[in-house]
Amino acid sequence: MSDIRSIVVLTGAGISAESGIATFRGPGGLWEGHRVEDVCTPEALAHDPDLVHRFYDLRRAALTIAQPNAAHRALARLDAAWPGELLIVTQNVDDLHERAGAKRLLHMHGELRSALCARCGARQSWQGDLPPGTACPTCAAPALRPDIVFFGEMPYDMDRIETALASCDLFVSIGTSGAVYPAAGFVRTARWNGAQTIELNLDPSDGSIHFHESRMGPASTLVPEWVDSVLADV
Ligand code: APR
């Protein structure tokens, strides 16, 4: 580990599963019979805004009960103690990484506790329900929507993420199925640029063969162990 200077960590729904937040795919991955791909699209928002807003209202409400688990806390510990470059990129729209204390963090798929104006593009912190037609505090248009990157929309901060992937020495993927791009392609970008690549997941992801090493098990066990091993050399 002594030659590692720059780390990129990618997290997905699996890291929050032990905090009681349902993953998207696998058992319990349906929401009232809807596939997530059917709810989280600009077309669904246009045709059935009540359904889409309700989906995110329920997920936002669930955050009031959920607490960060040992895996979120371990990454926050890494963030505080790691002297080199670090970027934690999460696909999750929950706020468990930041509530655990992580700072060097990007939410590439948006945030439940944020609202986006579909008219002027302003983003603001949001708590509680967000009914369709809510007025934007910035431009007054009745156009606030959940600040979530829907299927077919461009994830946030891709320039910063691509730059970090191009220069990292170690890429670690935690709790993601590898089913959704562009995140599913990060391992290949990092590896092509010379990084070591490790996957920490309950089951082999769709992209398992692209990693140098795969460790299978619950994030609450694997992530603290991995963080301990990284910080042992600091
Ligand atoms: N510890 C580690 N991994 C776990 C755990 C756990 N306790 N529980 C589940 N997993 C793993 C599963 O084996 C699976 O590979 O987490 C992964 C979760 O996969 P998905 O539900 O597909 O979640 P994710 O990869 O984050 O989805 C990507 O899809 O719907 C979109 O925008 C949404 O950000 C999301 C994206």
Side-chain angles (χ1 to χ4, degrees), residues 3-74:
D3 51 344
I4 303 293
R5 295 278 176 275
S6 173
I7 303 174
V8 174
V9 176
L10 172 69
T11 70
I15 197 167
S16 296
E18 292 165 83
S19 295
I21 297 181
T23 59
F24 294 98
R25 297 169 186 83
L30 290 179
W31 178 73
E32 294 188 4
H34 302 282
R35 291 188 316 143
V36 68
E37 288 85 349
D38 295 335
V39 181
C40 309
T41 65
E43 294 76 19
L45 182 64
H47 291 119
D48 196 345
D50 289 333
L51 175 82
V52 176
H53 280 246
R54 190 156 64 91
F55 177 79
Y56 288 106
D57 284 347
L58 290 175
R59 296 188 75 86
R60 198 178 301 108
L63 290 186
T64 59
I65 301 161
Q67 297 297 327
N69 65 49
H72 300 104
R73 290 195 295 273

Side-chain angles (χ1 to χ4, degrees), residues 62-146:
L63 290 186
T64 59
I65 301 161
Q67 297 297 327
N69 65 49
H72 300 104
R73 290 195 295 273
L75 289 183
R77 194 156 50 83
L78 178 71
D79 190 349
W82 179 248
E85 298 286 319
L86 171 71
L87 184 62
I88 302 168
V89 180
T90 188
Q91 299 168 86
N92 297 343
V93 294
D94 66 52
D95 58 356
L96 298 180
H97 281 303
E98 48 269 57
R99 279 162 58 198
K103 302 270 188 290
R104 293 182 271 182
L105 172 73
L106 294 180
H107 280 274
M108 65 177 291
H109 288 170
E111 298 175 57
L112 280 169
R113 286 187 159 155
S114 175
L116 169 71
C117 179
R119 183 73 56 81
C120 75
R123 303 169 74 189
Q124 41 242 310
S125 168
W126 200 265
Q127 313 287 333
D129 288 351
L130 177 64
T134 300
C136 170
T138 303
C139 74
L144 283 191
R145 54 165 269 189

Side-chain angles (χ1 to χ4, degrees), residues 3 16 32 40 42 76 121 137 150 156 162 167 192 194-195 211 216 218-219 233:
D3 51 344
S16 296
E32 294 188 4
C40 309
F150 290 141
Y156 289 124
E162 291 291 344
S167 61
W192 192 83
F211 290 85
M216 298 294 115
D233 290 337

Side-chain angles (χ1 to χ4, degrees), residues 12-14 18 23-25 91 109 151 175-177 180 201-203 219:
E18 292 165 83
T23 59
F24 294 98
R25 297 169 186 83
Q91 299 168 86
H109 288 170
F151 285 93
T176 177
S177 61
V180 175
N201 211 45
L202 198 57
D203 312 295

